[in-house]
């Protein structure tokens, strides 16, 4: 059994392996977890939110390691990435738990036993999860986290126990606790499901067990999903890494009215439930947070506020969206405000793809222009078609991706002006030949597609999802940096081979001889209209000068310190940088 190293680069490799495994595992289990999501609101997005949260943590850690950041900086990046990328109630809670685990590992001394460090990390994570939630409810991921922590502490009390044994004990206890969640929460028992957030936490702990021991927890073959008769609780046995029983359909109705419908605590499916989910990041001092929590608790439920060192992630369900945002304004500076109306998100009953041999669910097909972009879109759940300037995909390739993804509803992100026409032709063919429902979002740049993918919510209605993704893409101001290959006259003046060209929304606006200077010029133009988030996608090394992405991020940090910056390795071969401002 391999011990988890807790110092030096090995520790970072182990953490990187964990977040890689966790991201992949949550991506694979996303639809299953979404289908379990009946509490606190049956909006079918818990799996998606957890996957996006861990994926953001993974990307932040990867970027820190690629920049040769020290151990402390890399751990901080992982925790901050989870905080900034957290989505939904479960994602915000998970970000706090990951932060506590990382902080305890970061404070580990060389003479401490890894088993004790890991047990204390899980214990602090459980404590933090309970503290973050305004009104803790048993039978949720909180109960699963507590059971895992208790088992870890008990196993670590053995002086011969190693870290892998502690993680294994925590993962096993989590699975057992997950099977008990319907006994603790009536809404789960009536639906015949286990808690979605708890299931996601089990996936994470299983990934941690694999990272620390090299073993994969056993997973017996899955049988058909059979609904559990109301109100019989879910049996306490089942797959080692899965829920005890998963229903073929998850009721998406309101409170129990005597007909066996599933209550959705906190949803607007009954007259007493809040109608909106409000989330935002908040720049505020720690002393302002208790007052903020008190104000938000009086406005609604499902309150979670996590963070520290001046940055907080706020989540609450309310009827009065304005009051929730105003509370944040009084506490500090809210940004990245996100509002979701539950009535537009509630999941309609459906059978996941492959269980009945037919099509179901929703998928996204994205045209990606480089290997790094391939990974970004795939990690977000998209089916990827390689394309981009100079080597556009054919309509047959896009059609094959649409029909091969197994979904009945498909959203296509063209991500290039020329690819829009190809995507529309493929969509028309798919609708005519296969009866699929397909929508093409005319994204003209890869960065617009990334922004649209970030707000994709498979739990809401198809039309609403398309509207939100389209609106987000249109609000992205985008630019790029490339190098001229021939003499030409541009809107910014004449250029010669080797000149650096800066583009905004597809038009040339700068001609220069220094890539960094041109990049900062373009960013200055994009930020002239304001913005909170800048995305920098670095091209293939042959197209991008060394450290161009890092220098660009450093310039932004110095000149626009309130703007959040994310740098990705896109690997595209025509543009040294692709830039986006949201």
């Amino acid at each position: 059994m391999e011990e988890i190293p807790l110092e030096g680069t090995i520790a970072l490799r182990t953490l990187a392996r964990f977040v890689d495994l966790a991201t992949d595992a949550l991506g694979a289990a996303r639809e299953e977890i979404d289908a379990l999501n009946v509490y606190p609101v049956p909006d079918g997005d818990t799996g998606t939110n957890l996957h996006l949260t861990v994926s953001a943590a993974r990307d932040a850690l990867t970027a820190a390691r690629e920049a040769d950041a020290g151990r402390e900086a890399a751990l901080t990046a992982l925790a901050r990435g989870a905080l900034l990328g957290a989505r939904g109630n479960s994602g915000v809670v998970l970000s706090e738990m990951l932060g506590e685990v990382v902080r305890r590992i970061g404070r580990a001394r060389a003479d401490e036993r890894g088993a004790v460090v890991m047990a204390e990390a899980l214990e602090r994570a459980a404590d933090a999860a309970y503290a973050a939630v305004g009104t803790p409810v048993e039978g949720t991921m909180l109960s699963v986290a507590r059971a895992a922590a208790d088992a870890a502490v008990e196993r670590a009390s053995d002086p011969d126990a190693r870290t892998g044994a502690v993680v294994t004990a925590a993962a096993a206890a989590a699975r057992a606790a997950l099977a008990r969640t319907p006994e603790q929460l009536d809404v789960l028992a009536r639906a015949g499901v286990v808690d979605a957030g708890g299931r996601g936490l089990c996936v994470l702990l299983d990934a941690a067990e694999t990272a620390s021991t090299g073993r994969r927890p056993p997973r017996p073959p899955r049988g058909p999903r059979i609904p559990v008769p109301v109100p019989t609780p879910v049996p306490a046995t089942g797959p080692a890494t899965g829920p005890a029983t998963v229903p073929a359909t998850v009721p998406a109705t309101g409170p129990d009215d005597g007909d066996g419908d599933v209550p959705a605590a906190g949803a607007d499916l009954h007259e007493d439930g809040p109608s909106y989910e409000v989330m935002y990041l908040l720049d505020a001092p720690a002393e302002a947070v208790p007052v903020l929590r008190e104000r938000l608790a009086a406005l609604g439920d499902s309150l979670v506020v996590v963070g520290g060192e001046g940055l907080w992630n706020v989540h609450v369900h309310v009827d009065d969206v304005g009051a929730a945002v105003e509370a944040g304004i009084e506490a500090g500076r809210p940004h990245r405000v996100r509002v979701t109306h539950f009535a537009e998100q509630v999941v309609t009953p459906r059978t996941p793809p492959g269980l009945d041999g037919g099509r179901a669910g929703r998928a996204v097909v994205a045209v990606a222009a480089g290997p790094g972009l391939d990974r970004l879109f795939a990690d977000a759940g998209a089916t990827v078609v390689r394309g981009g300037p100079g080597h556009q995909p054919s309509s047959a390739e896009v059609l094959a991706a649409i029909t091969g993804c197994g979904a009945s509803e498909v959203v296509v992100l063209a991500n290039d002006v020329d690819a829009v026409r190809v995507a529309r032709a493929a969509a028309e063919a798919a609708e005519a030949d296969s009866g699929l429902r397909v929508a093409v979002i005319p994204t003209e740049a890869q960065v617009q597609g990334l922004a649209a993918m970030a707000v994709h919510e498979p739990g809401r209605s198809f039309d609403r999802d398309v509207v939100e993704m389209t609106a987000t893409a249109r609000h992205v101001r985008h630019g790029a940096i490339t190098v001229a290959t021939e003499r030409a006259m541009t809107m910014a003046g004449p250029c010669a081979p080797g000149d650096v060209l800066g583009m905004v929304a597809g038009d040339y606006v700068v001609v220069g001889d220094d890539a960094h200077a041109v990049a900062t010029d373009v960013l200055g133009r994009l930020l002239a209209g304001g913005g909170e988030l800048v995305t920098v996608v670095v091209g293939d090394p042959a197209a991008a000068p060394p450290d161009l992405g890092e220098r660009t991020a450093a310039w932004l940090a110095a000149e626009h310190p309130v703007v959040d910056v994310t740098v990705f390795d896109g690997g595209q071969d025509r543009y040294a940088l692709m830039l986006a401002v949201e």
Side-chain angles (χ1 to χ4, degrees), residues 375-393:
R375 183 176 66 82
L376 290 173
F377 282 112
D379 286 348
T383 297
V384 176
V385 177
R386 177 58 70 87
H391 41 81
Q392 292 295 343

Side-chain angles (χ1 to χ4, degrees), residues 496-517:
D499 284 346
V500 181
L501 307 177
M503 305 170 66
V504 171
D507 294 327
Y508 294 107
V509 296
V510 184
V511 178
D513 57 8
D514 180 80
H516 177 63

Side-chain angles (χ1 to χ4, degrees), residues 85-430:
R87 298 278 291 276
N89 195 335
S90 55
V92 174
V93 173
L94 177 60
S95 73
E96 182 76 347
M97 295 176 68
L98 288 173
E100 284 298 320
V101 169
V102 166
R103 282 187 283 273
R104 180 61 185 94
I105 290 177
R107 291 194 295 268
R109 302 188 310 272
D111 60 345
E112 285 187 290
R113 286 198 301 127
V116 172
V117 172
M118 186 56 63
E120 290 184 359
L122 293 173
E123 185 175 37
R124 294 185 184 191
D127 291 343
Y130 274 87
V133 177
T135 306
V137 175
E138 299 300 326
T140 62
M141 67 187 299
L142 301 181
S143 307
V144 176
R146 177 62 69 203
D150 290 346
V153 171
E154 181 179 356
R155 187 70 183 90
S157 64
D158 180 351
D160 295 326
R162 298 174 68 84
T163 309
V166 168
V167 178
T168 298
R175 292 192 293 270
L178 176 68
R180 294 193 297 269
T181 54
E183 302 169 16
Q184 299 170 290
L185 201 55
D186 287 343
V187 61
L188 302 178
R190 293 193 184 100
V193 296
V194 292
D195 179 65
R199 167 67 177 125
L201 189 55
C202 286
V203 171
L204 283 169
L205 288 168
D206 287 343
E209 181 178 355
T210 299
S212 61
T213 67
R215 297 193 311 265
R216 293 188 181 274
R219 188 179 184 90
R222 285 179 177 269
R225 298 185 176 190
I226 303 174
V228 176
V230 176
T232 303
V234 176
T237 59
T241 60
T245 305
V246 183
T249 58
V250 177
T253 51
D256 186 5
D257 58 8
D259 295 326
D261 288 341
V262 180
D268 68 336
L269 305 182
H270 56 89
E271 60 184 6
D272 297 326
S275 300
Y276 299 93
E277 176 187 60
V278 177
M279 291 189 66
Y280 49 81
L281 294 177
L282 178 69
D283 296 329
E287 55 268 23
V289 173
V291 175
L292 172 67
R293 281 196 174 106
E294 184 177 347
R295 285 204 58 190
L296 292 178
L299 292 174
D301 58 28
S302 294
L303 172 62
V304 185
V305 181
V306 302
E309 299 182 357
L311 178 64
W312 310 86
N313 197 318
V314 180
H315 172 282
V316 67
H317 294 174
V318 296
D319 283 320
D320 192 340
V321 174
V325 177
E326 287 172 5
I329 293 173
E330 291 184 7
R333 185 180 77 91
H335 49 109
R336 293 204 207 173
V337 179
R338 183 181 181 85
V339 179
T340 301
H341 188 203
F342 290 130
E344 296 168 346
Q345 259 203 313
V346 172
V347 179
T348 55
R350 67 177 185 262
T351 302
L355 293 180
D356 61 358
R359 296 178 176 275
R362 186 176 313 147
V364 176
V365 171
V367 178
L373 288 159
D374 285 359
R375 183 176 66 82
L376 290 173
F377 282 112
D379 286 348
T383 297
V384 176
V385 177
R386 177 58 70 87
H391 41 81
Q392 292 295 343
S394 66
S395 58
E397 290 175 300
V398 178
L399 177 60
I402 293 172
T403 57
C405 66
S408 60
E409 299 174 341
V410 182
V411 179
V412 182
L413 299 173
N415 299 337
D416 185 87
V417 175
D418 295 330
V420 173
R421 174 184 52 80
V422 171
R424 284 176 173 159
E428 291 176 4

Side-chain angles (χ1 to χ4, degrees), residues 10 30 43 85 119 171 176 240 276 289 294 302 363 381 430 439 449 455 459 487 490 504 516 567:
I10 298 178
R30 184 172 65 170
D43 49 356
Y276 299 93
V289 173
E294 184 177 347
S302 294
V455 300
R487 291 185 178 277
T490 75
V504 171
H516 177 63
V567 181

